[in-house]
Amino acid sequence: MKQKIYFVFLFSLFSYSTLFAQQPEKLTAVEIYHAIQKLNFLGSVLYVAAHPDDENTRLISYMANHQKARTAYLSLTRGDGGQNLIGTELRELLGVIRTQELIEARKIDGGEQFFTRANDFGYSKIPDETLKIWNKEQVKEDMIYVIRKFKPDVIINRFDHRSPGTTHGHHTSSAQLSIEIFDEINNKNVFPKQLDYVSLWQPKRLFFNTSWWFYGSREKFDQADKKNLVNFETGIYYPLFGKSNQEIAALSRSRHQSQGFGSTGSRGEEIEYLELIKGTVPTDNKNIFEGIDTSWNRVKGGAAIGKILSEVEKKFDFKNPSASIPMLVSAYEMLQKIEDNHWKKIKSDELKKIIQACAGLYLEGVAEQQSITPGSLLKVKVEAINRSSIPMVLKGMTFIPEGKSITENKALQNNISETFEAALLIPQNLEYTEPYWLKKEGTVGMYRVDEQERIGFPDIIRQLKVRFEVIINNITIPFEKEIIYKYNDPVQGEVYKPLDVVPTATTSIVDKVKIFQAKQTQSITVLVKSGKDNVNGVLKLDLPKNWNVSPEQIPFELSKKGAEATFTFQVTAPSQVEEVQAKSIVIIDGKTEDKEQLLISYNHIATQQVLATASAKFIRLDLKTNGEKIAYIMGAGDEVPTYLSQMGYEVTVLKPEEITPQNLKKYQVVIVGIRAYNTVEELAFKQQILFDFVKAGNTMIVQYNTTGKLTVKDIAPFPLKISRDRVTEEDAEVRFLAPNHKVLNYPNKITSKDFEGWVQEQGLYYPNEWDATFTPILSSNDLGEDPKNGGLLIAPYGKGHYIYTGLSFFRELPAAVPGAFRLFANMISISSNANQP
C-alpha cells in the first residue's frame, strides 16, 4: 500500500524566449495567416498517455500545424512522482512544475492540454498495481468527461494496451482505459451527471502510435509487416515558420526542463505509424480523418461561414492583415446564429483572437500590485489601443467577479492609446490563487476535485478579469482578459507576472522536520509574512498536549505588505517515541489562517503560488550519531543535506571545483547526491581524489544514479553495474543478508521496524552486478519478482569504506521516516573507530 505524502491558441514559432513566457500574444502576419487556415478545418484529435513527457510532440505538431486539426494531449497525471533536475521540489510541487512545462510545450507545438485527477504516485511495474492505487472509475470518469467536452474525431494512444509489464504500469493503464471507455462515451447511462455540462459524443477511430521502440529494435521494426498500419510523412518543412516539424517538436519537448529533456531538432524524412484499434477502417491509410467531414459543412448553417473564411484565406494581405477584418467580423456575426454550441464557442474564440491580431488591438488590465487579499481595494490601469484604420468603439468594460461596469462608448482611433483607471473591491469570499487540484486533501492515487467543470482543466484558475466590449462594423465583440501585474526590470525589461489572491498572513515553520531526544527542549522558529498593510494578530503552534509549547501564543504586528518576521517557541518532546504533525496558525480579527505560501519561480514557466498547510513533522526519535563532519556533493537536486543537519551533523555542500585533497581533510564522510554521476561532468576529474579520501580511512556514500550516460568510467573503486532494478512497493518485506554487519548494528540497532512507513518506493536503479569485495546488506522485491539484493552495497577500500545505495533516502528523509534517519546514521558511522557495544 502506498504511503500518503502530505503536504493556446497559437504560439510564435519564430522567437520563443523563456523570459517572455508570460507576456500576451502578439501575432505576426504569418502567425495570423496560419490561424486563419486553422479556422477552416473542423476536425479534432486527442493524444492520450500517462505523464508529462510521454506525448509525441512530432505527431502533435504535425496534426496542429500541417493537418490544421484541433489537437490536444490528455496526460492522466501531472508527473508528481518523478525526479527533478532543476530544483528540490518533489511530489505535488514537482507536479505543479511539470503542469506548467506541458502548458508551455503546447504553446510551441500548437496543441491544448488536459489532465485527469490521477496522482503520479511513483513507478508502477504493472497496470494491475496502478489501477489498485488509482481510483479506476474516477480516472475513467475524467477521461470520458474530457472526451465529451473536447469531442475528438480521432483518439491516439501513446502506449500498447497488450504488453503489461514491459513498461511503466501507468503507461499501459492509460492505453487500456482509453480502449475500455471508447464505447462508453456515447452511452447516456455512463456518468449521466456529466451531461449537465457536456453532451454525448462518439469518436470515429482509436489508434495506437506504434514505433520501433515497441518492437524491441529498429532492425525488427524495419523487417515488420506494416501494410495494415496508417502511416504518413511528418518530417515536413514549414516555409512559413522556417522550421521543420521535428525542429518545432524539439522546441516543445525541450520545455520539459525538470526532466532534462532538452532536445535537438532534426530535419528530413520521418514517418509516423498508427495501428487502428477501434472504429472504422480508413480506406486511405495516409489520412486518419478519411471519411470524416472536417469542413464547415459538418455544422448546420456553416457552409456560408466556410465560404467567407475561405475568401479570407485566399485574399489575406500579409502587409495589411486588417484588410481581412470586415469579412472576419461578418463570419463572427453569422457564427453566433448557428445551433452547434461546440463549434460555435471554439471558432468564436479563434475568430476573436484573429480579429484582435489583425487590428493590432491591444487590450490589457494591469494591477498596481502583484498580490491582493480578499476584501481589499485593487487599483487597475486599463489600456485599449486600435492600431488599424478600421473604426472601432470601446462600448464598455466589466470587471469580474466584482461585476463593476464602466460605460465608455469611446472611439478607438488608429494608434491612439486610451487608458482608464478603476478601483475594484475584491470580494471577501474570493478563492485564494492556488492549483485547484491541491485545495482539498486527496488520496495516494487521486487528487480531489469536486467541481465537475474543473475536471481536466490544466492550469490554476484565475478569477480576476476584465471584459472589453468593442464595436466593430456595428457588431459588439467581447474580449476577456485576465488582470495581470507587470513591471520594468533593468535587465529583462518588461516582466509580466500573474496576479495572485493571497491570505492576510501566511506562516512557515522553518525546519520541516525536527528530531528530538526524550524530554529534549528545542527552539522552533516560525516565519510570519503579511499579505497586506497593517496586519496584527497572534501566532500559535498547534501540537498534541503531550508536547509542551511555550509560550502558548505570540502577538505580532506587521505594518507593511510583504513584511516578514520570525518568532521562536520552545518545544519539549515527550519521553515516548512518536511522530507528530506540528501546525502554525495565525488568528487575525477572529479569523484563523493556517496557510504557508510556496512560490515556484523558474524562467521557463509562469510563477506559481502554492498554498499548503503550514506544518512540519516533529519526531521523538531514538537516534544515535557520532557527529562526523560531512561534505555533500549535489547531483540533480535533493534536500538530503538539510535533513542531515537536523540529525545534528555539520554538513558542507561542496562544489566540484572545491573537491581537493586539502579541502577533504576536514571531513570524515563524503556523500554524493542523487544522479550526480549522470549530471555533474566535473566529477570525471575528481573521482580519484574521492577514492583516495576513502582509502585514507574515510567513508564515501553514493546515492542512486540511472542507467543513462555516466560522467565517470568507474563509479566505484571496484566493478559495479547499475541496472533498472527497483522495488516500487515501499512496504515490501526487507530481509537482512548480513545481520551482523556493522551498518545494521552501530550506532543504531536496525530492525524490520525501521522499514515501516516508507513512502512511494523503497529504492530504484539498484546494481545487479558487483565485485566480490562488496557485501550486499539488504534484500527485498516486489510481489512475484525475484529478490533484489543491490539496494545497499558496502565495500572496504584501504582503511575506509565505499557505500553505494539505491534506497530512496531523498524521499524518505523529507517524509520524516524514522528508520531512514537511523539507517543513514549507521552508514555515516561505518568507518568510525568509536567503541562499539
Side-chain angles (χ1 to χ4, degrees):
M1 176 68 79
K2 296 286 172 182
Q3 296 296 314
K4 192 165 187 180
I5 301 177
Y6 291 91
F7 135 120
V8 216
F9 173 59
L10 173 69
F11 189 78
S12 171
L13 297 170
F14 294 115
S15 56
Y16 183 80
S17 170
T18 58
L19 293 178
F20 305 105
Q22 299 170 45
Q23 290 200 0
E25 295 172 316
K26 300 173 185 176
L27 304 184
T28 66
V30 166
E31 293 165 335
I32 294 171
Y33 179 71
H34 179 68
I36 289 171
Q37 289 181 311
K38 295 192 75 167
L39 275 175
N40 286 311
F41 191 93
L42 277 69
S44 302
V45 57
L46 181 68
Y47 202 83
V48 177
H51 309 109
D53 84 352
D54 286 345
E55 79 274 26
N56 183 343
T57 54
R58 298 182 305 278
L59 188 52
I60 290 175
S61 175
Y62 174 84
M63 287 295 164
N65 297 307
H66 177 74
Q67 193 73 59
K68 307 296 191 298
R70 185 175 180 230
T71 309
Y73 173 42
L74 171 58
S75 176
L76 299 196
T77 76
R78 296 176 183 267
D80 328 78
Q83 285 82 53
N84 184 359
L85 291 184
I86 60 173
T88 59
E89 296 91 351
L90 292 174
R91 291 299 300 134
E92 290 87 350
L93 297 183
L94 178 58
V96 172
I97 292 173
R98 292 190 173 177
T99 292
Q100 292 302 312
E101 289 177 336
L102 273 183
I103 290 170
E104 294 301 324
R106 297 294 80 79
K107 289 178 183 178
I108 294 172
D109 59 36
E112 299 176 44
Q113 185 61 51
F114 298 107
F115 297 95
T116 75
R117 288 172 288 180
N119 190 338
D120 178 5
F121 55 80
Y123 193 86
S124 179
K125 293 179 179 177
I126 56 175
D128 287 350
E129 181 196 14
T130 298
L131 296 176
K132 285 179 183 177
I133 296 170
W134 286 351
N135 183 319
K136 180 182 176 181
E137 286 304 301
Q138 279 191 354
V139 178
K140 286 176 57 178
E141 180 182 2
D142 292 358
M143 294 175 74
I144 288 175
Y145 181 74
V146 168
I147 292 169
R148 286 173 172 172
K149 184 176 181 179
F150 186 70
K151 300 190 183 309
D153 298 300
V154 175
I155 297 174
I156 302 175
N157 286 346
R158 165 78 282 189
F159 297 104
D160 187 357
H161 64 287
R162 298 159 295 199
S163 55
T166 61
T167 183
H168 199 316
H170 297 183
H171 293 168
T172 310
S173 295
S174 71
Q176 291 178 340
L177 292 176
S178 179
I179 291 167
E180 189 173 327
I181 67 172
F182 187 79
D183 297 320
E184 298 179 351
I185 300 163
N186 206 36
N187 186 338
K188 66 180 181 180
N189 297 316
V190 175
F191 305 119
K193 291 182 180 180
Q194 293 182 1
L195 301 180
D196 292 337
Y197 303 90
V198 292
S199 58
L200 295 174
W201 181 250
Q202 182 57 60
K204 301 299 188 296
R205 299 185 179 103
L206 188 151
F207 292 98
F208 159 47
N209 182 198
T210 190
S211 69
W212 69 265
W213 189 87
F214 295 96
Y215 285 72
S217 69
R218 294 183 187 275
E219 292 75 18
K220 291 180 180 179
F221 188 57
D222 291 340
Q223 296 168 7
D225 181 5
K226 306 186 192 69
K227 66 176 179 292
N228 293 323
L229 299 180
V230 173
N231 67 89
F232 38 83
E233 169 63 50
T234 59
I236 57 179
Y237 175 70
Y238 300 112
L240 283 177
F241 303 146
K243 289 181 175 66
S244 69
N245 189 65
Q246 302 100 311
E247 288 172 319
I248 294 171
L251 289 172
S252 172
R253 189 152 184 84
S254 295
R255 292 304 95 205
H256 296 299
Q257 293 186 18
S258 66
Q259 303 189 68
F261 281 155
S263 181
T264 300
S266 60
R267 290 146 293 280
E269 183 182 76
E270 188 165 8
I271 298 175
E272 286 289 340
Y273 294 90
L274 303 177
E275 177 187 353
L276 183 71
I277 303 298
K278 277 182 172 286
T280 59
V281 179
T283 56
D284 178 0
N285 72 345
K286 305 283 185 190
N287 179 15
I288 66 172
F289 290 101
E290 187 270 329
I292 301 171
D293 189 351
T294 58
S295 73
W296 276 97
N297 292 327
R298 79 181 295 172
V299 175
K300 183 181 178 181
I305 299 171
K307 186 176 180 180
I308 291 176
L309 293 177
S310 294
E311 282 295 301
V312 172
E313 181 178 343
K314 187 186 303 183
K315 296 179 179 180
F316 184 73
D317 186 348
F318 285 85
K319 293 184 178 180
N320 181 25
S322 65
S324 298
I325 291 177
M327 284 192 292
L328 289 168
V329 171
S330 178
Y332 175 84
E333 182 184 18
M334 295 172 66
L335 184 58
Q336 306 317 300
K337 298 174 183 177
I338 69 170
E339 298 175 3
D340 189 320
N341 288 327
H342 175 69
W343 286 110
K344 178 194 290 187
K345 182 178 187 323
I346 292 167
K347 294 303 178 180
S348 292
D349 289 345
E350 290 181 12
L351 269 168
K352 286 193 289 185
K353 290 181 179 180
I354 293 170
I355 291 167
Q356 185 179 352
C358 285
L361 178 60
Y362 191 82
L363 303 169
E364 187 174 69
V366 180
E368 69 170 0
Q369 54 199 41
Q370 193 272 321
S371 62
I372 191 72
T373 58
S376 297
L377 202 64
L378 177 68
K379 293 183 179 179
V380 178
K381 182 179 180 180
V382 177
E383 179 182 3
I385 180 170
N386 167 25
R387 291 172 287 185
S388 75
S389 59
I390 302 296
M392 297 184 189
V393 173
L394 178 60
K395 182 179 179 181
M397 297 167 288
T398 301
F399 295 92
I400 304 169
E402 186 195 39
K404 180 177 183 177
S405 295
I406 300 176
T407 302
E408 287 295 336
N409 289 317
K410 183 74 175 179
L412 297 178
Q413 300 178 24
N414 187 6
N415 211 31
I416 302 297
S417 178
E418 301 291 346
T419 59
F420 312 89
E421 292 187 353
L424 310 179
L425 183 62
I426 305 302
Q428 284 282 4
N429 61 351
L430 192 66
E431 291 183 336
Y432 298 142
T433 303
E434 58 183 319
Y436 69 89
W437 59 95
L438 298 181
K439 284 177 66 70
K440 297 174 183 176
E441 189 175 309
T443 65
V444 174
M446 301 296 296
Y447 287 120
R448 179 181 169 186
V449 180
D450 297 333
E451 303 84 356
Q452 179 65 62
E453 61 270 32
R454 293 185 174 185
I455 300 296
F457 193 79
D459 207 353
I460 286 175
I461 296 172
R462 300 182 184 276
Q463 298 172 289
L464 294 171
K465 302 176 183 179
V466 55
R467 183 171 62 242
F468 299 83
E469 291 188 337
V470 180
I471 301 174
I472 308 173
N473 280 14
N474 297 317
I475 303 300
T476 300
I477 302 177
F479 298 91
E480 194 168 275
K481 304 290 181 181
E482 290 181 359
I483 299 174
I484 52 85
Y485 171 73
K486 68 178 181 180
Y487 65 95
N488 184 70
D489 181 271
V491 176
Q492 299 179 11
E494 188 177 52
V495 176
Y496 280 74
K497 287 194 173 183
L499 172 63
D500 290 335
V501 181
V502 302
T504 303
T506 55
T507 66
S508 173
I509 302 174
V510 173
D511 293 323
K512 299 307 178 189
V513 174
K514 201 74 172 177
I515 298 172
F516 291 79
Q517 299 296 333
K519 298 292 186 180
Q520 182 185 13
T521 299
Q522 295 200 57
S523 297
I524 303 300
T525 301
V526 180
L527 182 145
V528 180
K529 180 180 179 181
S530 62
K532 64 177 186 178
D533 291 343
N534 300 318
V535 175
N536 60 80
V538 295
L539 171 67
K540 302 181 72 172
L541 196 60
D542 186 19
L543 276 164
K545 291 182 179 180
N546 60 331
W547 289 70
N548 184 265
V549 180
S550 179
E552 282 190 21
Q553 60 184 39
I554 302 174
F556 70 90
E557 183 175 346
L558 298 171
S559 60
K560 292 293 183 182
K561 175 182 177 177
E564 297 180 350
T566 56
F567 303 91
T568 302
F569 292 91
Q570 299 300 315
V571 174
T572 304
S575 57
Q576 71 271 22
V577 172
E578 68 175 15
E579 174 188 328
V580 299
Q581 185 179 37
K583 188 164 75 170
S584 57
I585 60 174
V586 289
I587 302 172
I588 303 167
D589 296 330
K591 182 181 179 181
T592 298
E593 295 279 12
D594 64 353
K595 297 298 183 183
E596 175 178 5
Q597 183 189 53
L598 304 169
L599 296 177
I600 300 174
S601 181
Y602 292 98
N603 279 339
H604 68 301
I605 60 175
T607 302
Q608 301 294 294
Q609 172 180 272
V610 178
L611 296 175
T613 299
S615 64
K617 286 191 176 180
F618 290 178
I619 310 174
R620 163 51 192 103
L621 180 62
D622 181 13
L623 176 69
K624 300 180 180 67
T625 63
N626 285 314
E628 290 88 353
K629 292 185 178 180
I630 299 171
Y632 199 93
I633 301 168
M634 294 298 294
D638 62 64
E639 295 184 298
V640 171
T642 298
Y643 297 100
L644 294 176
S645 296
Q646 279 296 315
M647 294 166 69
Y649 293 108
E650 183 181 327
V651 184
T652 303
V653 175
L654 286 187
K655 297 177 182 177
E657 62 270 20
E658 296 172 330
I659 303 172
T660 66
Q662 186 63 34
N663 283 345
L664 291 182
K665 287 181 179 179
K666 308 171 189 174
Y667 308 103
Q668 292 82 51
V669 181
V670 165
I671 301 176
V672 182
I674 61 172
R675 299 181 69 176
Y677 289 109
N678 298 126
T679 59
V680 184
E681 297 286 344
E682 297 93 326
L683 287 180
F685 309 104
K686 303 295 182 178
Q687 194 73 330
Q688 191 56 52
I689 295 174
L690 294 172
F691 289 165
D692 289 343
F693 170 79
V694 179
K695 199 180 235 182
N698 301 299
T699 299
M700 181 178 179
I701 301 172
V702 177
Q703 297 175 85
Y704 94 94
N705 290 267
T706 71
T707 55
K709 181 183 176 183
L710 298 175
T711 62
V712 296
K713 180 182 178 184
D714 298 310
I715 199 170
F718 307 106
L720 180 76
K721 183 180 178 181
I722 300 170
S723 75
R724 298 185 66 85
D725 287 351
R726 62 204 301 161
V727 179
T728 64
E729 296 170 11
E730 66 274 29
D731 56 355
E733 177 193 5
V734 177
R735 301 172 292 273
F736 296 164
L737 300 175
N740 296 321
H741 197 283
K742 182 178 180 181
V743 78
L744 295 178
N745 294 279
Y746 178 80
N748 302 286
K749 177 66 176 177
I750 303 300
T751 69
S752 59
K753 187 174 178 61
D754 288 296
F755 291 93
E756 295 177 2
W758 283 51
V759 299
Q760 188 161 327
E761 58 196 344
Q762 275 189 9
L764 59 171
Y765 293 99
Y766 291 175
N768 62 354
E769 295 180 21
W770 53 84
D771 188 83
T773 311
F774 283 102
T775 298
I777 305 298
L778 307 172
S779 177
S780 64
N781 55 271
D782 290 328
L783 186 66
E785 294 192 348
D786 294 332
K788 305 293 187 291
N789 299 338
L792 179 57
L793 302 172
I794 302 178
Y797 183 62
K799 298 178 182 179
H801 291 83
Y802 176 94
I803 299 177
Y804 189 91
T805 180
L807 296 174
S808 60
F809 288 105
F810 73 104
R811 296 195 190 281
E812 312 312 321
L813 299 184
V817 177
F821 287 102
R822 288 162 47 81
L823 180 56
F824 213 118
N826 284 15
M827 291 161 52
I828 289 169
S829 293
I830 195 69
S831 298
S832 171
N833 293 320
N835 293 328
Q836 298 180 45

